[in-house]
Amino acid sequence: MPSKFLWGSATAAYQCEGAWQEGGKGLSNWDAFCHSDKNIVNPVNADVTCDHYHRFEEDIRMMAEGGQNTYRFSIAWTRIIPGGVGEVNEEGVAFYNRLIDCCLEHGIEPLVTLYHYDLPQTLFERGGWENRETCDAYASYAKVCFDRFGDRVKLWATINEPNYETQCCYAVGNYPPNVQNLSRRWCAMYHLLLASAMAVRIFREGGYQGQIGLVSDSYSIEILEDTPAYREAQENAEYFYNRCVNDTCILGTMPQGFVDRIVADGCDRSYALPGDEDIFRAGTVDYLGVNAYSRYLVKPYTTGETCLKASNTGKKGDRSTAVVKGWFELDRDDSVPKNDWDMELYPKSLYNLLKRLEELYPGTTYYITENGMGYKDVLEEDGTVHDPYRIEFLQGFVDWMLKARDEGVDVRGYYVWSTMDVYSWINGYAKRYGLVYIDYDHGNVRIPKDSYYWYRDYIAQLEKEE
Ligand code: BGP
């Protein structure tokens, strides 16, 4: 187990690997979606993207040279078991063996996510996460990964963002299968959480060494007025965005306050079977991975049907909004700066969140598994990329994270999203998060941004002080 604080960065398979039809890989739901006529917001795909599949050695070398000692990446299920269930694809196993070995050769601790949005298309066509069979398929796939990579990987994440993924897939409807139906969303989320618990149980029963957690997009839920109605909206939103996931994987039971609310909405919970409680209880995590981008500002529900909208165009005025009937609405504070995708730039949100998590789940271990800022970065003629806005953003989050740690929250690592520029779901390639710029038009050349050097120097400085 790493004893040092981990400083690194993160990616996900679909977003960075490319090589979508190489190495015996099967088709994923994102391959299919991005090639379909439903992909209308930014109709591009990640067939090649930054070509990490062929260039990971260069990327990992740059991470090491940038002072990073950990890399969070995800395994594409479709490379390991191309059909979702059945035959293991040895070429896929070999690829991740090379990737893991390369990390270790560079002194980089791998944190491996087993599932980050890309589901085998075969399973997607059978109902995806709405179908309980996907949980069993996932559990078998997880076991293959533990068996093949567990001798070297000591940090695992079961699932990336059960909240955000299902919100996009089944509430906003901008990710496949492009549905707007909260009951279906809760069913898919339930299965994601159950699958995670199954994998944790296999991990423990198999005696694999290391830590296993779940990565949760979690938010500081804030209000602008301190009234009973606002506080109630805040409580509802906390169930809606955070506690449905975090209580379940940390405490081993779905919170009653959440279950009561969705049942009151008429949600049919026949998918919750006897015996599941035992699986959840046996599947609690060693740590919570926190993907921290911003807070949610909420106010009391007023009127209208449930409607969630994400800002995906990068155009000013394209706003993220949410009305959840009977629960809350999103509020807005125009005095807080936002990026072109309507995301608040509010670093203190991480401190507020960690303090709140510590109240709810005292003594839990955390890794900040993602934190980053999307921006339309510019490559200058002299081949440099100046991103002072990102440095300011990241520095702010890191400072607030360290303050929470100094006050006793057990945070053990921090990952910038993303290691280099990658495909951004729905948003395409204009929205860049990387510490390293990818020149997509000129052979995917890698160009460290100012933030890359800032991060390198910052880590070195901290290590000197220790
Ligand atoms: C998280 C995802 C990442 C990444 C990031 C940035 O929700 O786990 O995969 O994409 O958000 O989001 P986006 O690319 O939508 O701007």
Side-chain angles (χ1 to χ4, degrees), residues 11-12 15 72 116-117 160-161 164-165 175 215 217 219 291 293 312 341 370 372 374 417 422-428 431 433:
T11 63
Q15 295 178 272
R72 174 177 174 235
H116 195 130
Y117 297 0
N160 183 69
E161 300 186 341
Y164 194 70
E165 185 188 11
Y175 291 5
V215 169
D217 53 303
Y219 309 86
N291 285 358
Y293 287 89
N312 292 123
W341 291 265
E370 287 181 31
W417 182 270
V422 298
Y423 166 77
S424 165
W425 316 98
I426 302 293
N427 307 306
K431 190 178 190 182
Y433 284 87

Side-chain angles (χ1 to χ4, degrees), residues 201-216:
R201 195 162 74 167
I202 290 169
F203 188 77
R204 300 227 193 289
E205 288 176 359
Y208 303 96
Q209 297 300 301
Q211 283 189 308
I212 187 160
L214 175 146
V215 169
S216 171

Side-chain angles (χ1 to χ4, degrees), residues 23 26 35 58 66 114 147 158 161 171 188 200 208 211 226 245 247 249 256 328 354 358 379 393 396 406 423 442:
H35 282 267
E58 184 181 355
L114 291 167
D147 284 340
T158 54
E161 300 186 341
V200 172
Y208 303 96
Q211 283 189 308
D226 193 15
V245 172
D247 276 35
C249 71
Q256 198 55 45
F328 66 91
L354 288 170
E358 188 58 16
L379 175 61
F393 178 92
D406 288 346
Y423 166 77
H442 299 96

Side-chain angles (χ1 to χ4, degrees), residues 2 34 69 75 97 104 141 160 190 212 286 293 423-424 433 451:
C34 286
N69 60 15
I75 293 181
N97 274 332
L104 297 177
Y141 153 68
N160 183 69
Y190 184 91
I212 187 160
D286 296 320
Y293 287 89
Y423 166 77
S424 165
Y433 284 87
S451 55

Side-chain angles (χ1 to χ4, degrees), residues 115 117 159-172 174-175 182 185-186 188-190 192-193 214-219 221 236-246 258 291 296 308 324 327-328:
Y115 172 78
Y117 297 0
I159 304 274
N160 183 69
E161 300 186 341
N163 168 66
Y164 194 70
E165 185 188 11
T166 58
Q167 186 181 312
C168 291
C169 297
Y170 293 99
V172 179
N174 54 350
Y175 291 5
L182 280 188
R185 177 200 178 185
W186 300 133
M189 179 190 282
Y190 184 91
L192 279 161
L193 292 167
L214 175 146
V215 169
S216 171
D217 53 303
S218 297
Y219 309 86
I221 310 287
N236 291 339
E238 201 174 39
Y239 278 118
F240 188 85
Y241 290 119
N242 294 344
R243 295 192 59 181
C244 48
V245 172
N246 298 344
F258 168 72
N291 285 358
Y296 275 123
L308 290 93
V324 182
W327 294 54
F328 66 91

Side-chain angles (χ1 to χ4, degrees), residues 314-335:
K315 292 189 188 127
K316 282 269 179 234
D318 177 12
R319 292 185 168 185
S320 297
T321 56
V323 172
V324 182
K325 192 176 183 179
W327 294 54
F328 66 91
E329 296 178 11
L330 280 191
D331 206 351
R332 204 172 172 83
D333 182 350
D334 287 323
S335 69

Side-chain angles (χ1 to χ4, degrees), residues 41-42 294 309-320 332 336-345 372-378 389-390 393 424 427 429-433:
V41 185
N42 289 291
S294 62
K309 208 191 132 305
S311 171
N312 292 123
T313 59
K315 292 189 188 127
K316 282 269 179 234
D318 177 12
R319 292 185 168 185
S320 297
R332 204 172 172 83
V336 178
K338 300 177 184 59
N339 75 354
D340 284 351
W341 291 265
D342 207 30
M343 186 188 86
E344 280 192 350
L345 311 178
M373 180 194 185
Y375 206 92
K376 295 167 194 155
D377 299 320
V378 175
Y389 38 82
R390 182 171 292 108
F393 178 92
S424 165
N427 307 306
Y429 292 97
K431 190 178 190 182
R432 295 169 179 268
Y433 284 87

